[in-house]
Amino acid sequence: MGEMNTKAMFKLSYGLYVCTAKKGDKLNGCIINTAIQVASEPNRISIAVNKANYTHDMIKETGECNISVISNDATFDLFKHFGFQSGRDVNKFEETGAGKIAEDKISYKLAENGIPYVETGINAYFSLKVEQTVDLGSHTLFICEPVMMEVLSDTSSCTYEYYQNNIKPKPQAVGTTPKGETVWRCLICGYEWVGEELPDDFICPICKHPKADFEKIVR
Ligand SMILES: Cc1cc2nc3c(=O)[nH]c(=O)nc-3n(C[C@H](O)[C@H](O)[C@H](O)COP(=O)(O)O)c2cc1C
C-alpha cells in the first residue's frame, strides 16, 4: 500500500456558507464549507458543524437553521465577522444600522422561520429543518429538509479555492526584526508570533487556527 499523501485532502472542492441559527432572542451564525445536497427524492441537504461552535449547539437544540450561499462578491469582512469570532463572546447580529451588522458592512433579513439570512456577498439562501443528526466525533452531521429557498443574485458561488486565492488577505511582505528573531505568521489572519519554535498546541489568539496554519518566516 502507498503512503497516505494527506495533500490529497486539499483536492476536495467546497462551497462556502453562512450557517445561521436562532435560539430564544439570540441570533448567531458561522462560516461553514460543508453544505451539500445529499439526496433529491426527497430533497435533502446536509451540513457538518464543529461541536465547538456555538452555532452547533443552537442548531442541535432548535432543529433549525438557514444557509446563505457565499458568492464571489463577498469580502473578507464577511469571513472575519462570522468565521473568526464566536457567538459565545460577541453578538454577531448587533445592529449598527437598520438591518445592518459589522459596522454597517453586512446586511441581513429574517426569513419566514425567524432565522436571519445574510444579503451581502450572498447569492441564495435556504431554510433547513433538521431530520437526522449523526455524531461524527469532532463534528455533527445534520441531514436536513429544505423548507424554503430563494435566489438573491446571479454572481457565481464562492469556492474554498476562490476564497484562498482571491478573498483571504495575502501575507504581507516582511522586514526584519531588530534582533533577527524567527517569526511565525498565521496564514489565515496574518498574526505574527516571535520565537524559535512554535509550540505544537499553539492556537492563534486572533483567529483560533492551529500550528499547522502557521508559516515560519526566515528573515
Ligand atoms: C473559510 C472558513 C471555513 C470554515 N468551515 C467550517 C466548517 O465547515 N464547519 C465548521 O464547523 N466551522 C467552520 N469554520 C469555522 C467557524 O466559522 C468558526 O469557528 C466560527 O467562529 C464559529 O462561530 P460560533 O461559535 O459563533 O458558531 C470555517 C471558518 C472559515 C473562515
Side-chain angles (χ1 to χ4, degrees):
M1 206 175 65
E3 292 274 310
M4 284 270 276
N5 185 351
T6 52
K7 287 203 176 81
M9 294 301 291
F10 295 112
K11 300 296 185 194
L12 294 171
S13 143
Y14 303 91
L16 287 162
Y17 313 88
V18 184
C19 177
T20 43
K22 174 178 192 276
K23 193 187 164 219
D25 291 338
K26 176 81 177 180
L27 307 178
N28 191 40
C30 69
I31 306 284
I32 62 167
N33 59 29
T34 50
I36 38 171
Q37 182 183 16
V38 285
S40 55
E41 288 292 337
N43 190 7
R44 290 293 176 266
I45 291 174
S46 75
I47 54 169
V49 187
N50 195 305
K51 288 177 185 171
N53 293 2
Y54 190 58
T55 311
H56 170 274
D57 296 357
M58 295 172 75
I59 300 171
K60 197 145 186 231
E61 285 161 32
T62 62
E64 286 187 299
C65 66
N66 288 340
I67 297 291
S68 304
V69 182
I70 299 178
S71 78
N72 289 349
D73 286 337
T75 66
F76 189 58
D77 291 318
L78 182 70
F79 292 91
K80 259 196 331 209
H81 188 71
F82 285 105
F84 292 167
Q85 54 184 357
S86 175
R88 274 196 195 85
D89 312 316
V90 295
N91 177 7
K92 296 186 199 178
F93 281 92
E94 183 169 50
E95 294 219 1
T96 53
K100 297 205 170 222
I101 52 178
E103 295 165 358
D104 287 358
K105 288 180 193 140
I106 301 168
S107 59
Y108 79 93
K109 279 206 178 78
L110 297 182
E112 277 173 23
N113 61 4
I115 300 173
Y117 64 92
V118 176
E119 292 184 306
T120 310
I122 296 296
N123 63 18
Y125 81 89
F126 296 80
S127 291
L128 304 179
K129 227 177 159 56
V130 176
E131 199 191 52
Q132 286 182 57
T133 298
V134 184
D135 186 335
L136 295 177
S138 61
H139 289 59
T140 298
L141 183 72
F142 297 106
I143 300 169
C144 306
E145 175 194 356
V147 292
M148 173 74 198
M149 54 180 99
E150 192 58 78
V151 174
L152 303 178
S153 114
D154 290 332
T155 307
S156 298
S157 299
C158 178
T159 62
Y160 210 116
E161 188 175 22
Y162 186 89
Y163 166 73
Q164 297 279 2
N165 294 336
N166 300 286
I167 297 181
K168 194 174 86 174
K170 296 265 184 301
Q172 284 155 22
V174 291
T176 314
T177 63
K179 296 184 212 143
E181 301 118 315
T182 302
V183 176
W184 295 77
R185 191 198 293 117
C186 178
L187 295 167
I188 310 296
C189 73
Y191 170 79
E192 293 193 351
W193 184 87
V194 178
E196 234 8 79
E197 246 334 296
L198 194 67
D200 284 341
D201 59 354
F202 194 84
I203 300 288
C204 177
I206 307 298
C207 72
K208 313 292 181 219
H209 279 71
K211 181 179 181 178
D213 290 319
F214 276 75
E215 67 175 351
K216 188 176 187 170
I217 304 164
V218 182
R219 306 210 198 215

